[in-house]
Amino acid sequence: MKIGSYTLTNRLIVAPMAGVTDRPFRTLCKQLGAGHAVSEMMAADMSLYAQKKSMFRANFDGELAPISAQIAGSDPKQMAEAARYQVANGAQMVDINMGCPAKKVCKRLAGSALLQDEDLVAKILDAVVAAVDVPVTLKTRLGFANGQENILRVAQRAEQAGIAALAIHGRTREQMYTGEARYSLIREVKQRLKIPVIANGDINSPAKAQFVLEQTGADALMIGRAAQGRPWIFREIAHYLLTGEFLAAPSLREIHTVVLQHLTDLYAFYGEYSGCRMARKHIAWYTTNLPNSHAFRAAMYTETSTATQAEAVEAYFARLMVQFDPSQPLAA
């Protein structure tokens, strides 16, 4: 799988997710089998870049290459300037967001709202590709509204503009994340384009990954929500696609190790206050399907320091390791 001049280690990509795919999470997913990861969305409006949140999102220090920065906006000149900024900041690829369905993003005519204006889509694509000398990719949806799917036209225009790879979520903006992803249009896009096409949506298991590849003929898969609290899904899928065999689930001891590594990285990255709060959702995702986790999470949410939060996590796993064999997989 190649994007521009970059050869990925495999064809499994971490989807950009706001508030989730920060540098610690991207790094962890790459360590656990992802071949590539795209940063969480960053606004093209440069006046926002001094904000603390934007500074965290644009931090690529020490990240495993290739580094991909996703930008979002509706003004072609701002998008071009944002692309140049991210490349100067260390990005080796730039990804354009035309897929986010969030109301606050669409209100600004950014994200998936852009799909309502194909002329503006073309201007943004042309401006960003011309602005930088690194591969530019595009993340989008089938269309804005059901019955108005225009992905075939958008995809062809993207290829004409010089987009290096195209990731498609198999839903319209109207669908948000409801119902099931539709793969037939992704297959049509793949049949018409020469650039790599990446399928996204509802890929939550090795078997589903194989199914989506067969249904779409895509060059790669992009996985988002299924990796929350389960970053090892990438190695599970990679193993299955390579061998046709299911990899054993991680042992209780390994889950414990992964969680602690992730917490350590989050604390170091965000600092005391934000680190503790950013870690809460990840701890909740990791423990959702583990025994006696509801009461643990309720208590964990009350912790306001990284030290006491980490202690609570250690105590919870210590109790589990007394009850269960830590060398074996564990399910609720």
Side-chain angles (χ1 to χ4, degrees):
M1 173 65 187
K2 293 190 70 173
I3 299 178
S5 61
Y6 293 97
T7 301
L8 308 185
T9 55
N10 62 37
R11 49 183 177 163
L12 303 178
I13 301 172
V14 186
M17 294 177 282
V20 179
T21 48
D22 51 22
R23 194 189 75 198
F25 187 75
R26 296 193 302 271
T27 299
L28 181 62
C29 289
K30 288 177 180 179
Q31 291 172 347
L32 290 172
H36 185 47
V38 182
S39 81
E40 53 186 321
M41 172 178 62
M42 290 174 278
D45 185 350
M46 301 293 287
S47 66
L48 303 175
Y49 276 46
Q51 295 183 1
K52 195 172 183 180
K53 184 184 293 186
S54 296
M55 293 173 68
F56 282 127
R57 290 180 174 178
N59 186 321
F60 308 121
D61 294 345
E63 183 168 347
L64 298 171
I67 297 167
S68 179
Q70 188 184 76
I71 57 174
S74 58
D75 180 88
K77 290 183 180 179
Q78 279 191 342
M79 290 288 279
E81 184 59 32
R84 285 190 285 266
Y85 174 88
Q86 294 301 342
V87 171
N89 190 45
Q92 296 160 309
M93 298 183 195
V94 173
D95 186 66
I96 300 174
N97 183 314
M98 292 189 186
C100 180
K103 191 173 183 178
K104 65 179 181 180
V105 175
C106 289
K107 272 175 60 179
R108 299 174 182 170
L109 297 179
S112 57
L114 288 168
L115 298 175
Q116 300 172 100
D117 188 340
E118 293 181 32
D119 288 339
L120 181 55
V121 165
K123 290 176 182 176
I124 290 173
L125 295 173
D126 289 340
V128 175
V129 171
V132 294
D133 59 1
V134 303
V136 177
T137 59
L138 173 64
K139 174 78 161 57
T140 189
R141 286 182 171 237
L142 300 180
F144 187 77
N146 294 336
Q148 299 176 26
E149 292 83 353
N150 58 348
I151 185 59
L152 294 176
R153 292 193 301 274
V154 169
Q156 289 177 318
R157 186 62 181 82
E159 185 172 61
Q160 291 169 9
I163 290 296
L166 174 65
I168 307 171
H169 185 117
R171 290 179 172 89
T172 62
R173 191 270 171 176
E174 182 180 340
Q175 287 179 272
M176 299 292 284
Y177 296 101
T178 63
E180 295 182 352
R182 294 177 283 157
Y183 304 118
S184 58
L185 277 175
I186 299 178
R187 183 176 186 84
E188 281 193 58
V189 170
K190 173 56 190 169
Q191 291 172 341
R192 296 189 187 195
L193 299 193
K194 294 180 181 178
I195 61 174
V197 173
I198 302 157
N200 175 228
D202 296 349
I203 302 166
N204 56 12
S205 70
K208 186 62 176 286
Q210 181 68 53
F211 173 82
V212 173
L213 285 174
E214 292 170 353
Q215 290 294 305
T216 63
D219 301 280
L221 300 174
M222 182 171 275
I223 299 159
R225 289 171 293 162
Q228 295 173 354
R230 192 182 161 198
W232 46 82
I233 191 174
F234 295 100
R235 75 175 183 200
E236 292 176 343
I237 291 175
H239 183 82
Y240 183 79
L241 295 179
L242 184 64
T243 68
E245 299 176 352
F246 291 101
L247 194 65
S251 67
L252 176 58
R253 181 178 289 115
E254 184 180 9
I255 294 174
H256 175 229
T257 300
V258 169
V259 173
L260 289 185
Q261 177 192 333
H262 197 175
L263 293 186
T264 299
D265 291 346
L266 286 170
Y267 297 160
F269 186 69
Y270 287 106
E272 176 63 28
Y273 181 85
S274 296
C276 180
R277 282 149 184 80
M278 289 296 293
R280 287 172 181 166
K281 59 189 168 189
H282 290 284
I283 296 169
W285 289 328
Y286 281 119
T287 60
T288 294
N289 293 317
L290 297 182
N292 308 314
S293 61
H294 180 75
F296 157 71
R297 287 194 299 275
M300 181 271 298
Y301 288 137
T302 67
E303 303 295 346
T304 57
S305 77
T306 57
T308 57
Q309 185 182 67
E311 288 172 3
V313 172
E314 283 280 28
Y316 171 69
F317 275 96
R319 291 192 296 270
L320 290 182
M321 290 185 188
V322 171
Q323 295 176 270
F324 304 96
D325 184 347
S327 67
Q328 296 299 316
L330 180 62

